[in-house]
Amino acid sequence: MDAGVNESVLALILIGLGAILVFWGGTALRALIALAGAFIGFFLGAEIVQERVGGELLGTPGGWIAAVVGALVLGILAYVWYWLGVVIWVGAMGYVLGVSVAAVFGADDSWVLTTVGLVVAAVLVVIAIAMSLPSLLLVIASAWSGAILVVIGVMLLVGEISERQINRAFTAVEPAWPWYAAAIALFVVGLLAQLGMTSRRRSESVDS
């Protein structure tokens, strides 16, 4: 498959999932748990093949097969065992949050971005478990992670970055501030939308 097509498909996936996270991530958590597991499994499978054979992400039939298998396996596990889905969900959002924050402070090395992402993911998972998954934490994390994914997807779609630069998207473009501004604006809009839906749902529950 052509590299340009691969990047376009990847960009649309990022934008689509990001939009879901921005506007419905917190309130539709149960419905999206399986999707989050499948999404992570998709890219995990693709990255495993890429590391084995080299080349571009999703650049070979084997990469697509591994991505689909990974999506099915983690998606089913996340659906059947809800607690595992929650861990995957919160951990994934924490990873995206950590990588984006590290990039804001100028981190460029892949191992630094990965380490910070994993640390933030672990912290968020511990907090979420200790506090019985407060809805506000999930709303904030999902809105921010979704905004980052949407902006990165747009970057990839318009050719500002390549698929190899996804992990350091905000440090690979110059100037980066318009993209940060777009992510923050989208985060605020999504946060307000999710909080508004939560408030209306609580009001309806009280009235009924």
Side-chain angles (χ1 to χ4, degrees):
M1 184 174 293
D2 183 75
V5 175
N6 284 337
E7 291 192 348
S8 297
V9 171
L10 181 56
L12 292 176
I13 291 174
L14 291 174
I15 293 172
L17 181 62
I20 293 174
L21 288 174
V22 167
F23 295 105
W24 299 285
T27 56
L29 176 62
R30 187 63 186 260
L32 294 174
I33 283 294
L35 179 60
F39 179 79
I40 294 168
F42 183 89
F43 286 103
L44 181 61
E47 287 181 359
I48 289 174
V49 172
Q50 182 189 33
E51 290 180 359
R52 295 270 183 172
V53 303
E56 297 182 356
L57 189 70
L58 300 176
T60 64
W64 280 97
I65 293 173
V68 172
V69 171
L72 289 174
V73 171
L74 281 190
I76 292 172
L77 287 175
Y79 181 80
V80 174
W81 289 289
Y82 182 68
W83 64 269
L84 178 60
V86 171
V87 171
I88 293 173
W89 179 273
V90 175
M93 290 188 294
Y95 181 83
V96 173
L97 179 62
V99 170
S100 61
V101 170
V104 169
F105 286 95
D108 191 21
D109 293 335
S110 296
W111 72 270
V112 175
L113 295 173
T114 301
T115 300
V116 174
L118 291 175
V119 169
V120 174
V123 170
L124 273 186
V125 167
V126 171
I127 292 176
I129 294 175
M131 300 180 68
S132 300
L133 297 175
S135 58
L136 181 60
L137 172 64
L138 292 177
V139 166
I140 293 173
S142 64
W144 176 251
S145 300
I148 293 296
L149 289 179
V150 168
V151 171
I152 291 177
V154 172
M155 286 182 185
L156 188 60
L157 192 62
V158 301
E160 284 290 325
I161 61 171
S162 68
E163 56 90 10
R164 293 178 179 274
Q165 297 173 309
I166 287 178
N167 285 342
R168 51 187 181 87
F170 287 90
T171 61
V173 294
E174 184 64 37
W177 69 263
W179 298 104
Y180 282 121
I184 292 172
L186 186 57
F187 163 69
V188 172
V189 171
L191 181 62
L192 293 177
Q194 289 198 54
L195 291 177
M197 285 188 290
T198 301
S199 178
R200 286 194 297 272
R201 188 169 63 253
R202 288 177 178 172
S203 298
E204 291 172 358
S205 299
V206 172
D207 293 338
S208 60

